[in-house]
């Protein structure tokens, strides 16, 4: 199968490229080589075309003879401030729209889209009777008092987290999240208009070798790793009880391989996760122990807009793609503690023009 892979030189894209090639697929690899992801003056790896998904002519050339597009190219991270918004809208949303138009013109009707858990916003919560409850924003007075859990709006008792599924309400809370939801919406509309198929993979907390080092846009696992490498302690916000799902990048690559080879009708969004919930404090402790470094420090500090808990249900990906993560977080994080990371200067969001 001939696959156009965008973002092929990135953290996740490079693992997907390897998985596709090892499976015998012909990979047309493309990457813009943004300095924010690769450092200044970075050159494409051998076999990777330098290309911008926002350029119709470039996409038309690369789409010749392609059977399916695996779209990973994106500006990542939450967005440090409002000035980043044009970069996210240009590279992620406009780029996806241009790519979809080029696919329609080229007669390519299958897309695997890199989406994210961030489209959900807050996680799913239940009360003491396991009834679903829509959480209200946490109050600053409660946070200042060290009460970090969401409270039931009627009883004032802490709510419990529950696994979130793909039918849950979508409520993006960052620039990146808004863009990811826009990408899903463009792709869904494209599928309806063309009769094409889209599998949107909502990645949960991805980590693994080749992850960028500490930048304003890094994931928390890499930030903890960078602190340990510098001889410091991982600094954990709130009480460390925030629950997440950490999925190894090799499993993310395997999920993309499955999606490429198992087309689903219309638009399908799937959580890609390990299926093993873990707290942020446990992540920091695992990394510190495996690294032989300083134990984490629980700071009690908070960021008012942060999500308290978000944990994935992996059932739909298992049913539709026959995908089950192979790497348990305890094993993967222990490996990640000494895995090579990507050195990238903290250059911030890219130019949007």
């Amino acid at each position: 199968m001939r696959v156009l892979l965008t973002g092929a030189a990135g953290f996740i894209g490079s693992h997907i490229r390897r998985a596709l090639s090892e499976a015998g697929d012909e990979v047309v690899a493309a990457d813009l080589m943004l300095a924010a992801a690769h450092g200044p003056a970075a050159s494409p790896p051998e076999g990777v075309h330098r290309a911008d998904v926002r350029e119709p002519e470039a996409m038309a050339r690369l789409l010749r003879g392609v059977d399916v597009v695996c779209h990973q190219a994106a500006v990542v991270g939450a967005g440090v401030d409002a000035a980043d918004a044009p970069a996210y809208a240009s590279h992620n949303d406009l780029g996806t729209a241009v790519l979809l138009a080029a696919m329609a013109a080229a007669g390519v009707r299958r897309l695997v889209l890199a989406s994210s858990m961030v489209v959900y916003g807050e996680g799913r919560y239940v009360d003491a009777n396991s009834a679903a409850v829509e959480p209200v924003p946490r109050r600053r007075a409660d946070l200042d008092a060290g009460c970090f859990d969401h409270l039931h709006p009627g009883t004032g008792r802490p709510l419990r987290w529950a696994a979130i599924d793909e039918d849950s309400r979508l409520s993006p809370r960052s620039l990146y999240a808004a863009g990811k939801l826009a990408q899903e919406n463009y792709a869904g509309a494209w599928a309806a208009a063309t009769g094409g198929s889209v599998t949107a993979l909502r990645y949960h907390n991805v980590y693994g070798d080749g992850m960028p080092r500490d930048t304003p846009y890094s994931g928390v696992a890499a930030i903890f790793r960078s602190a340990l490498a510098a001889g410091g302690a991982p600094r954990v916000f709130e009480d460390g009880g925030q629950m997440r799902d950490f999925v190894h990048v090799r499993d993310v690559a395997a999920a993309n391989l499955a999606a490429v080879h198992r087309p689903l009708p219309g638009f399908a969004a799937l959580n890609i996760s390990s299926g093993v919930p873990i707290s942020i404090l446990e992540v920091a402790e695992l990394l510190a122990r495996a690294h032989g470094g300083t134990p984490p420090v629980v700071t009690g500090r908070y960021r008012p807009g942060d999500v308290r808990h978000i944990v994935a249900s992996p059932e739909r990906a298992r049913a539709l793609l026959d995908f089950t993560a192979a790497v348990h977080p305890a094993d993967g994080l222990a490996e990640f503690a000494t895995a090579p990371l990507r050195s990238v200067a903290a250059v911030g969001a890219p130019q949007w023009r």
Side-chain angles (χ1 to χ4, degrees), residues 4-9 27-32 47-51 53 59 62 73:
L4 171 58
L5 173 63
T6 69
V27 182
V28 181
D31 202 295
L32 184 54
V48 175
H49 302 272
R50 188 190 292 270
V53 293
M59 292 301 99
L62 293 174

Side-chain angles (χ1 to χ4, degrees), residues 200-300:
L201 304 181
R202 291 176 180 165
Y203 304 154
H204 283 251
N205 293 75
V206 186
Y207 69 98
D209 50 294
M211 194 174 189
R213 293 184 185 277
D214 188 8
T215 80
Y217 304 87
S218 284
V220 68
I223 291 171
F224 289 164
R225 256 295 310 272
S226 296
L228 289 162
R235 298 183 64 80
V236 178
F237 282 104
E238 301 187 10
D239 59 359
Q242 309 93 306
M243 297 300 294
R244 297 290 188 272
D245 188 303
F246 280 74
V247 58
H248 198 280
V249 68
R250 290 196 299 269
D251 282 325
V252 172
N256 276 273
L257 181 64
V260 163
H261 287 273
R262 189 179 290 232
L264 301 174
F267 177 90
L270 305 174
N271 286 328
I272 302 302
S273 63
S274 70
V276 182
I278 188 170
S279 74
I280 294 297
L281 179 56
E282 288 178 284
V283 171
E285 289 173 338
L286 274 167
L287 290 172
R289 199 159 49 241
H291 194 275
T294 307
V297 173
V298 178
T299 67

Side-chain angles (χ1 to χ4, degrees), residues 18-45:
R18 186 178 306 116
L20 290 168
S21 297
E22 289 175 353
D25 293 305
E26 181 185 357
V27 182
V28 181
D31 202 295
L32 184 54
M33 303 303 297
L34 288 170
H38 303 280
S43 297

Side-chain angles (χ1 to χ4, degrees), residues 96-97 100 103 109 111-113 115 180-200 202 265-269:
T96 298
L100 290 168
M103 289 174 64
R109 294 292 183 265
L111 175 69
V112 177
L113 174 68
S115 188
K180 279 297 169 189
L181 182 53
Q183 285 181 284
E184 285 196 12
N185 288 336
Y186 276 115
W190 172 87
T194 64
S197 72
V198 177
T199 303
R202 291 176 180 165
F267 177 90

Side-chain angles (χ1 to χ4, degrees), residues 152-178:
H152 192 289
T155 67
R157 294 177 179 173
L159 297 174
R160 295 184 290 115
W161 62 266
I164 199 163
D165 63 29
E166 292 85 352
D167 296 325
S168 298
R169 184 172 68 92
L170 306 181
S171 182
R173 296 168 59 162
S174 70
L175 298 175
Y176 177 64

